Amino acid sequence: MPDVLASKIAAGEVVQRPASVAKELMENALDAGAASVSLVVRKAGSELVQVVDDGCGMGPRDALACFGRHATSKLRQIEDLERLATLGFRGEALASIAAVAQVELRTRRVGDAVGTCVRVEGGRCVEERPCAAPPGTSVAVRNLFYNVPARRNFLKTPATEFKHLVETFQTQALSNPAAAFSLVHDDVEVYRLPGAPEGASFEEALARRLADLFGDQDPEKLVPVEETTSYLSVRGFVGRPEHAKRSRGDQFTFVNGRVVKSRALDHAVASAYGELLPEGRHPFFALFLAVDPRHVDVNVHPTKTEVKFDDERGVYGFIRAVVKKGLAEADLALPFAAGPATTAARVTLPASGFADAPGLPPLPDAPASVPGPAAVPPLRPARGEGDGASERPAPLPSGPIPSGNLRFPSRLTPVPEEEGAPEAGEQVGERTIWQLHNRYVLTPIATGLLVLDQQAAHERILYERALTAMEGGMAASQQLLFPHTLDVAPADAALLDELMEDLRALGFDLEKLSGRSVLVRGVPSEVRLGNERAILEDLLAQYRANREGFQLEGRENLARSLARRSAIKPGHPLKPDEARALIDQLFTCRMPYVDPGGRPTMVKLTVEELERRFSRGGG
Ligand code: ADP
Ligand code: MG
């Protein structure tokens, strides 16, 4: 087979579209130690894909040799062939690209007086001469597939090809957050990403790069993760759950600096979020793994970026645990200004809206004197307010929670002020609590104001309590004054048998009378008065709906169903001590920030945010 033909065939594997050219060239630039990489394209890459770097450059001999098949020079740097292959250095990218395009290489090593220019067209060298060139390398790839018309026709619309180019650019720019990158399309600068400043840590550089690339991924939306073992280290960021998207788009995994795809790893990350993620959402993440190349196989197919570890399960578990830990350590209370993810984040506070909380006096009017814009003091210790607070919203009485409509088993006592608070030490001494519109519970915290969605919060509490009850402890049960008999449909009768043990653990006191009727003597103590009769039927209906809608099984489903059915609803007025119990008990939960379905339970309005809003855009 003629060599040129062989090259053309091989090229088909490596080079599918302009973006694949960009990927190979940018990887080479980074391999060459570039601190700055520019990608220049014309006509979505079909006319030109050029990468200019300031890396180590090549001498005259290498400048020619690099177009040969298996031309990798990286053998010299990494003696071990096995390790070499696993890093994906196979020395065929340039050869493959040159077989199907017109390529011009200009390169110079720092120490050399002159550079070298080499032109290759359709795999044949058409020119080689010394030339002037800045240190580093420029590779310009023109008219991709000019000699393979079938493939050229196969390219998608310019918009699509450009989209692939941008994604490739973003991925490469992420893979090395310390280096500077730019992207120019048809003379228009699309991206200019500065390199990391001297002394910046990897995390700082990465956070900055993410912000520059994705704008909306500002550092507040990111949760850092980091862990090292002898086998594997991982660092990077995962997105806060409320920013998870419906599409899988922004998920980046790099192994030893190379971008890879791994469904197993994607899954490990998603599973670490567990119930934090609303159904059907995918988290953002950018994770950098470092592992001895001997333990990893980056598939030998030229463009496939699939990766296999020799200890797949170990890596899966490790990544999952690391992300879980990062999420657990993060303060996941939604900041007030956090995007449009939920309606809860869009609550606007009326001028005076606290009046309908039973038993609470109305809020004070606005302070009479407003400080000038130049002298906006930090809000918290403002004197007028401090005075007002002592006379107006009365601190709620402390002491044991009287049992009201909202029942909490007595073994769950309110937490001490410091413990389980939203942030350690965030509680302010005597706690002031308001209920807003019979829906939200508000309380000051050290950093501002915490707003709870009462239903979501209560669902979380009931859900965790139900799980605990089923896993071991017996839940408190309230005996019904008038036990009633429930006749169930045949399908429900079977379901009831299946769930009987767990239902009893939850606090249902049930007795099966015959095939289709059951005697209800007691219900869980959480069940609100007036709900006792219908609760079991409701629960079964909810259970079925959850099973069909969300494929939820077993205890998870049961716990969610009970929580959904017995939680207080919007419109339910809370007594002050009930509101307080709600807050206290929410913060004894394992995961206080979201309800069982993944919606937020709380939103935080910080003093900084208030300052920002009142400063009228100024400083
Ligand atoms: P590989 O990257 O797998 O080694 P390539 O075909 O991509 O194979 O590149 C072949 C060789 O050309 C590289 O090993 C390297 O020595 C040289 N090379 C390519 N691009 C550059 C560059 N931008 N700067 C310096 N050397 C380069
Ligand atoms: Mg390469």
Side-chain angles (χ1 to χ4, degrees):
M1 179 159 46
D3 205 33
V4 174
L5 183 58
S7 292
K8 272 195 194 180
I9 292 170
E13 295 178 9
V14 179
V15 189
Q16 289 150 345
R17 53 175 18 128
S20 8
V21 174
K23 170 177 182 278
E24 296 295 338
L25 298 186
M26 292 178 84
E27 280 185 354
N28 281 349
L30 291 169
D31 290 343
S36 164
V37 179
S38 309
L39 173 62
V40 180
V41 296
R42 286 188 181 283
K43 294 245 171 75
S46 66
E47 198 176 291
L48 173 73
V49 177
Q50 180 178 18
V51 170
V52 184
D53 70 58
D54 61 356
C56 64
M58 284 177 269
R61 199 143 25 103
D62 281 344
L64 200 62
C66 70
F67 289 104
R69 214 144 271 287
H70 308 298
T72 186
S73 70
K74 289 158 194 169
L75 262 169
R76 273 174 258 151
Q77 295 148 28
I78 308 169
E79 322 70 39
D80 185 339
L81 217 124
E82 182 190 4
R83 293 179 55 188
L84 189 81
T86 55
L87 286 173
F89 301 136
R90 295 164 315 103
E92 52 187 336
L94 280 182
S96 300
I97 293 167
V100 291
Q102 299 161 331
V103 180
E104 181 177 313
L105 167 77
R106 286 168 171 269
T107 186
R108 179 165 75 86
R109 294 179 295 201
V110 186
D112 292 351
V114 287
T116 309
C117 173
V118 175
R119 290 202 301 120
V120 182
E121 294 188 359
R124 267 182 270 268
C125 177
V126 294
E127 186 178 359
E128 185 215 347
R129 60 180 169 89
C131 72
T137 303
S138 155
V139 182
V141 176
R142 296 197 169 82
N143 303 317
L144 184 63
F145 300 137
Y146 79 104
N147 55 349
V148 200
R151 300 218 51 163
R152 192 164 173 91
N153 293 337
F154 204 64
L155 291 180
K156 299 277 189 313
T157 63
T160 303
E161 294 301 337
F162 184 63
K163 187 172 148 267
H164 286 289
L165 279 163
V166 169
E167 283 168 7
T168 298
F169 175 85
Q170 291 177 332
T171 306
Q172 292 300 319
L174 261 190
S175 77
N176 192 331
F181 286 84
S182 71
L183 168 61
V184 174
H185 182 216
D186 290 341
D187 295 322
V188 177
E189 187 174 277
V190 182
Y191 278 110
R192 171 170 295 277
L193 310 171
E198 193 77 36
S201 71
F202 176 80
E203 277 66 30
E204 287 160 352
L206 179 58
R208 168 90 188 269
R209 178 60 40 93
L210 287 168
D212 287 349
L213 277 176
F214 303 111
D216 63 330
Q217 292 294 348
D218 66 62
E220 280 185 14
K221 299 181 183 174
L222 300 172
V223 175
V225 295
E226 175 161 22
E227 201 65 63
T228 302
T229 68
S230 54
Y231 180 88
L232 175 71
S233 84
V234 57
R235 55 187 179 168
F237 290 102
V238 300
R240 293 172 56 100
E242 69 270 20
H243 300 297
K245 302 227 173 89
R246 291 206 182 280
S247 65
R248 244 172 224 285
D250 300 330
Q251 304 188 330
F252 301 93
T253 312
F254 302 91
V255 173
N256 297 338
R258 286 286 205 263
V259 63
V260 301
K261 271 278 149 247
S262 160
R263 293 186 49 145
L265 287 184
D266 293 352
H267 190 270
V269 176
S271 78
Y273 281 73
E275 56 198 315
L276 279 174
L277 275 186
E279 318 283 343
R281 301 248 171 189
H282 305 282
F284 168 89
F285 62 83
L287 293 178
F288 292 73
L289 280 60
V291 54
D292 185 325
R294 265 177 268 264
H295 295 310
V296 58
D297 179 18
V298 178
N299 196 310
V300 286
H301 186 281
T303 56
K304 263 197 206 152
T305 49
E306 254 120 76
V307 67
K308 246 196 156 9
F309 299 93
D310 55 14
D311 181 8
E312 283 281 314
R313 290 174 126 254
V315 173
Y316 181 97
F318 179 71
I319 296 293
R320 189 180 134 100
V322 171
V323 173
K324 246 192 155 126
K325 176 161 162 270
L327 289 168
E329 282 167 3
D331 169 19
L332 293 180
L334 276 185
F336 185 72
T342 62
T343 43
R346 268 189 258 121
V347 181
T348 47
L349 299 172
S352 77
F354 304 120
D356 49 358
L360 288 181
L363 265 198
D365 295 334
S369 71
V370 178
V376 181
L379 273 185
R380 197 147 56 94
R383 272 207 45 233
E385 277 193 5
D387 294 345
S390 57
E391 35 177 306
R392 270 147 322 208
L396 295 164
S398 49
I401 312 157
S403 56
N405 273 352
L406 189 66
R407 283 158 182 269
F408 299 107
S410 50
R411 64 197 168 83
L412 273 176
T413 46
V415 281
E417 294 290 281
E418 300 79 12
E419 256 179 56
E423 279 160 27
E426 241 199 329
Q427 295 289 341
V428 243
E430 203 57 89
R431 201 190 281 148
T432 309
I433 302 175
W434 304 276
Q435 192 191 26
L436 174 65
H437 290 179
N438 287 341
R439 265 186 96 151
Y440 302 109
V441 173
L442 286 65
T443 192
I445 50 175
T447 53
L449 179 71
L450 194 67
V451 182
L452 259 59
D453 178 309
Q454 67 186 39
Q455 178 181 359
H458 198 203
E459 275 190 36
R460 162 56 60 179
I461 295 167
L462 295 178
Y463 166 76
E464 290 199 6
R465 196 173 299 156
L467 283 181
T468 313
M470 285 185 282
E471 272 153 28
M474 284 295 284
S477 171
Q478 48 181 331
Q479 292 299 304
L480 298 181
L481 216 44
F482 305 104
H484 65 273
T485 319
L486 191 67
D487 291 321
V488 292
D492 274 355
L495 188 58
L496 209 56
D497 284 340
E498 194 184 309
L499 301 177
M500 188 59 85
E501 199 181 320
D502 284 334
L503 286 169
R504 289 203 171 116
L506 283 174
F508 282 98
D509 187 350
L510 305 175
E511 190 182 326
K512 211 139 189 235
L513 294 179
S514 71
R516 290 182 44 186
S517 67
V518 57
L519 181 70
V520 185
R521 277 201 234 97
V523 298
S525 59
E526 287 89 357
V527 172
R528 279 171 297 130
L529 299 177
N531 251 6
E532 317 88 284
R533 270 195 83 88
I535 187 67
L536 191 58
E537 279 169 294
D538 283 358
L539 185 65
L540 293 177
Q542 185 76 47
Y543 186 94
R544 266 185 272 105
N546 283 350
R547 189 158 67 180
E548 278 143 35
F550 302 118
Q551 269 90 55
L552 286 179
E553 284 299 338
R555 292 179 167 177
E556 166 74 16
N557 186 345
L558 207 50
R560 275 213 215 185
S561 301
L562 183 66
R564 169 53 58 89
R565 284 295 156 171
S566 5
I568 48 168
K569 299 289 180 296
H572 184 98
L574 291 178
K575 297 199 190 78
D577 38 9
E578 291 171 344
R580 168 201 291 277
L582 191 71
I583 296 174
D584 287 343
Q585 308 214 354
L586 180 62
F587 283 107
T588 61
C589 286
R590 254 184 323 106
M591 175 40 72
Y593 304 108
V594 291
D595 77 4
R599 285 170 299 265
T601 55
M602 67 183 85
V603 166
K604 170 170 81 165
L605 174 55
T606 62
V607 175
E608 286 99 68
E609 175 64 15
L610 285 170
E611 276 176 48
R612 204 174 62 71
R613 293 198 176 204
F614 285 120
S615 69
R616 300 182 185 95

